[in-house]
Amino acid sequence: MALLLQQSITSNLGKREMSKVNNEDVSIGDIFNIVKKRLFIVVAVTAVFIGLGVVFALSKPNVYQSQVLLSPASNPSGGSAGLSGQIGGLAALAGVQLGGGAADKSLLHIERFKSRVFLTKFIAAHDLKKKLYAVQNYSWESNKLVYDPEKLAQLEQGNPDFVSLNRVFELFIEDNFKLELDSKTGLIKLAVLHQSPNVAKEITDLLVKDINQEIRQEEIIDANKSIDYLETALENTNVLETKKMFYQLIEQQHRTKMLASVKKEYAFKVIDPAIVPERKYGPNRALIVVIFALLGGVLATGGVIVFGLRAMNNQEQK
């Protein structure tokens, strides 16, 4: 029994050593010959992958990008910097900005641009859920959007696969929305991607309009609150210097309120407006086909080499 076990172990070790030697003896020329003998398989598999790539590329709808170039609007504080050293604490208590925070405020506005709060409210206000989620294609002949019935159904309440507003927001951020800040110039590039060039421009314009409108309204509300506080405080003081500073602060808040009421481009000024794009942004169909071709060629070549080496080993072992 022990002798049989020893023979079995010796036999297995011998096969492993032979396999190791065979693998080490394989040259580049052998691999080349293996591929050459089965070249038709590599070509056939690659051709199949190219066909799949063409079908996949043609199934992807054209996407268009509409872009606008923005600059953070400059809203001067009207000489309030001189007041900041005298009554900084009092101004902060009243919610008054005394200059020096323009850059921080611009960054805050940019972050709000892509915030969930603003964009979900924006999508709901303009009823964009269908246009952002359920569009299947765009018809140039009729200039109309073609919707996917299944995705349309998912937007209805009660559907087991209901797609919420938050989910539409996430997809919009991932696939349709681009916001870039140039750190050197301070300019902002806002772009919207969509199957329809007209819808891409429409959404881009609405985004700029709505963010300016929202920030304007917020500034007016804050200015009114500050004015109410300062006027109440003014009535409760008899110190002449303090009254003078209160008057200056109230004047500043009235100026802020006036600018917010008059300037439509209050937070962001349009440098280069969005246009209806004439050329598609994507997809790059040629690149898709090339990737499929490379993938098919690599897989086919690898498979041919593996099976060819196995066949060689089996022949040598026999």
Side-chain angles (χ1 to χ4, degrees), residues 141-152:
E141 292 77 14
S142 60
N143 191 28
K144 291 182 180 179
L145 297 172
V146 180
Y147 293 100
D148 185 333
E150 184 177 345
K151 288 187 175 182
L152 277 177

Side-chain angles (χ1 to χ4, degrees), residues 53-54 56-57 280 283-295:
V54 171
F56 179 76
K280 70 181 180 69
N284 190 334
R285 294 187 172 87
L287 180 61
I288 292 173
V289 174
V290 169
I291 291 173
F292 268 79
L294 290 174
L295 181 62

